[in-house]
Amino acid sequence: DGKIIVVGTYSNEGQLSSFVMRYSAEGILDTTFGINGIVTKTVGYHTGALGCDIQSDDKIVVCGFSIIDARQVIVFRLNADGSDDLTYGINGLMTTVVGISAQAEAVSIDANNREVITGSTDNMFLLIRYNSDGSLDKSFGQEGIVATTVGNFNGGFGVACDTLGNILSCGFADQLMILARFTSQGELDATFNS
């Protein structure tokens, strides 16, 4: 229907909170979404929303970070009206601790309605795959998680899934831009760029 979803982070009296906003195709705030077109969410002390994707049923998957005991990956799913999707994770939310400083930058829904996120953890390139109910997909990588290095300072910023289940992720390694392809099992695809 051409509606536009915007996610981000704002300062709420010194505490970072995440927001999701929906606009009409004409750029007008859609007041049928959330409260007057806006949904906010705070988990722990700080929460940031950095990426989103929309499922075929119009549910919205948002990823980013939260700071509770450590900086961790956060993924939450909203119904089309902006309410929490209580069928996902715990009350619509999943947090995943990977190392001591992790965050998700982008999310892509694959052909099996699994959420694939990319980001970084402790200077490593990060991929996590969740089942459609928010649980970690333990058939992927190590218990649902892939953390790998290409250089000394790594991170993923974009992700896309093809029809075969392969995952393309772009990001950086040291000061270079990289594009990597992973198999549906979470292994680096040695046939890519060979």
Side-chain angles (χ1 to χ4, degrees):
D1 58 6
K3 290 181 179 176
I4 302 161
I5 302 292
V6 177
V7 303
T9 307
Y10 71 101
S11 179
N12 181 12
E13 297 180 0
Q15 182 179 34
L16 295 180
S17 297
S18 63
F19 68 82
V20 183
M21 303 171 74
R22 189 167 72 191
Y23 293 86
S24 69
E26 295 76 31
I28 300 167
L29 202 57
D30 179 2
T31 56
T32 67
F33 179 77
I35 299 173
N36 296 320
I38 303 170
V39 172
T40 62
K41 188 171 292 292
T42 304
V43 180
Y45 183 68
H46 290 305
T47 305
L50 301 174
C52 71
D53 199 3
I54 302 171
Q55 296 184 172
S56 58
D57 59 2
D58 292 332
K59 291 182 178 182
I60 302 162
V61 178
V62 181
C63 70
F65 68 90
S66 65
I67 298 176
I68 301 174
D69 295 325
R71 189 180 187 99
Q72 56 196 268
V73 169
I74 184 173
V75 182
F76 59 92
R77 191 164 72 192
L78 303 175
N79 294 309
D81 65 358
S83 61
D84 290 326
D85 178 5
L86 300 181
T87 68
Y88 184 80
I90 300 170
N91 297 321
L93 171 76
M94 281 301 297
T95 60
T96 305
V97 176
V98 186
I100 61 171
S101 183
Q103 69 183 35
E105 297 279 355
V107 58
S108 180
I109 310 299
D110 75 6
N112 295 310
N113 279 327
R114 297 173 298 197
E115 299 92 22
V116 179
I117 71 97
T118 193
S120 62
T121 179
D122 302 343
N123 293 330
M124 291 187 288
F125 202 90
L126 178 66
L127 287 173
I128 304 176
R129 190 165 71 193
Y130 298 91
N131 295 309
S132 60
D133 64 357
S135 60
L136 284 168
D137 178 1
K138 296 192 176 181
S139 70
F140 181 76
Q142 300 275 334
E143 300 290 303
I145 299 168
V146 172
T148 189
T149 57
V150 179
N152 294 317
F153 189 66
N154 305 263
F157 280 101
V159 64
C161 303
D162 68 20
T163 55
L164 300 175
N166 296 315
I167 299 162
L168 281 165
S169 183
C170 64
F172 63 90
D174 298 323
Q175 295 182 358
L176 301 175
M177 195 270 305
I178 62 168
L179 179 64
R181 186 167 72 188
F182 296 81
T183 68
S184 61
Q185 292 78 38
E187 299 169 348
L188 275 169
D189 185 352
T191 68
F192 184 67
N193 193 32
S194 59

